[in-house]
Amino acid sequence: MEPTTALVLGIQLFALFSIAGGLLLYLLCKVRGTRESLIGQKGGSILVTSADTALGLQLCTHLAARGCRVFAGMKDPVESLPAKLLRGWLKMKENLDQPIEGSIVPLRLDVTREDVLKEATEAMGAHLNAGERGILAVINTAGIVHRGRIENQDSLQWETMFKTNVLGSLRTARAFTGLLKPTRGRLIYFGAGNEGDGLVAYTASRSAVDGCADALRMELQPFGISVIALDSHGVPAESLYRSPIPFHATDNADAPTQYSAEVLTQRALGVIENALWDVCPNERYHLAVPYSKFSITKPCGSMYKKANKGRTVQKV
């Protein structure tokens, strides 16, 4: 090969590798920037299927504080205690020195009723902005637990748990998949949890939910929908579905209503945020709560306070 030809070939190869290297660097920076923007993303619409529980309320207020618009599913979004607590929280939020950017939309929803699920889907579509084609995620917090030994339990309790925990999970997927497809969103379930005395039927229902998540993951993968299971080992079963307990910290009747919020730690809430915003989400996340007593810490300084007797409460 002549020296001139070799020189030209060398220059061409150098230019080619430079272009390829620059393109690779650009893609890496873009992916990194996208991941960072998603991990810390504010905004987006998220459905929490049951805000009738303390856990559901905790997730609704936490995600709203992160800038999301949260659809809070409730069996009675007007007169129920959770609905009143949410209205109080929203009113309190308006009076903050630095108002939270997110919002909460109470919504009638019952995972055991086909007609209510259809109405909820239509209502959510009506609330979406013109530029929104769907929602970011559905977090299925609906469920029930009945503790008792098999020989002492009524079979109706088993049927209720499977109807709500398992069939409710399937109905949730069927009802809201249409809102997740346009955004390639995420369907998040609370999967397997603690086994223990008197939890045989409940454990069977949660294992079935895990199986549903695995099967749905394969079926919905072509549409870009991620199905994620949250391993709740370490969280008492009753805590997942405990109702909020209202009380007044003072004798003043005009004082804001408060409720106990002893469900997930801040660390566990961070795990749920990862499940929502990781660019390449895992199939399963472990809430990995290392404490026997669960308490909520404050994402917003003026929203939470310690009540008497050491209880962690949320002021709403």
Side-chain angles (χ1 to χ4, degrees), residues 31-278:
V31 169
R32 181 180 178 183
T34 301
R35 176 177 175 83
E36 289 176 351
S37 65
L38 287 172
I39 292 295
Q41 177 180 352
K42 291 186 177 181
S45 296
I46 297 174
L47 168 66
V48 177
T49 61
S50 178
D52 292 309
T53 63
L55 171 62
L57 283 173
Q58 182 183 11
L59 287 177
C60 288
T61 54
H62 177 76
L63 293 173
R66 293 282 285 125
C68 299
R69 176 173 54 188
V70 183
F71 291 100
M74 290 179 284
K75 293 181 177 179
D76 180 359
V78 179
E79 296 298 330
S80 67
L81 172 63
K84 293 176 181 178
L85 291 173
L86 280 180
R87 286 199 296 270
W89 185 87
L90 292 169
K91 183 176 180 180
M92 179 204 68
K93 183 193 73 170
E94 294 173 355
N95 297 326
L96 293 177
D97 294 334
Q98 297 179 339
I100 296 171
E101 297 177 4
S103 62
I104 298 178
V105 180
L107 185 74
R108 184 169 179 251
L109 197 154
D110 185 344
V111 299
T112 66
R113 292 186 55 181
E114 301 279 357
D115 56 335
V116 176
L117 283 168
K118 183 178 179 180
E119 292 173 2
T121 305
E122 295 172 351
M124 289 173 62
H127 276 90
L128 295 179
N129 298 329
E132 287 184 294
R133 298 181 299 159
I135 61 176
L136 174 68
V138 174
I139 305 178
N140 185 31
T141 55
I144 192 170
V145 56
H146 291 296
R147 185 184 290 270
R149 290 184 173 274
I150 288 294
E151 63 267 26
N152 299 326
Q153 272 193 316
D154 191 320
S155 59
L156 182 60
Q157 292 179 320
W158 305 344
E159 294 172 6
T160 301
M161 283 189 283
F162 274 81
K163 180 181 179 181
T164 305
N165 299 349
V166 184
L167 297 182
S169 297
L170 294 175
R171 289 193 178 98
T172 296
R174 180 170 63 183
F176 301 108
T177 294
L179 289 172
L180 292 173
K181 284 182 179 179
T183 62
R184 302 171 69 86
R186 300 181 182 187
L187 181 59
I188 301 177
Y189 290 117
F190 283 83
N194 289 350
E195 300 85 7
D197 189 34
L199 290 175
V200 172
Y202 169 76
T203 299
S205 73
R206 299 320 307 179
S207 297
V209 172
D210 265 350
C212 290
D214 290 338
L216 282 168
R217 187 176 300 115
M218 296 179 62
E219 182 170 310
L220 298 179
Q221 185 177 16
F223 304 101
I225 298 175
S226 299
V227 180
I228 299 167
L230 298 174
D231 190 319
S232 57
H233 281 89
V235 183
E238 286 81 2
S239 293
L240 292 175
Y241 313 113
R242 180 184 299 142
S243 299
I245 303 173
F247 62 90
H248 290 280
T250 68
D251 295 331
N252 183 0
D254 296 327
T257 303
Q258 299 175 336
Y259 67 91
S260 62
E262 297 179 353
V263 185
L264 298 180
T265 64
Q266 188 69 28
R267 178 179 176 182
L269 291 172
V271 171
I272 294 176
E273 288 187 18
N274 291 338
L276 283 168
W277 292 308
D278 276 352

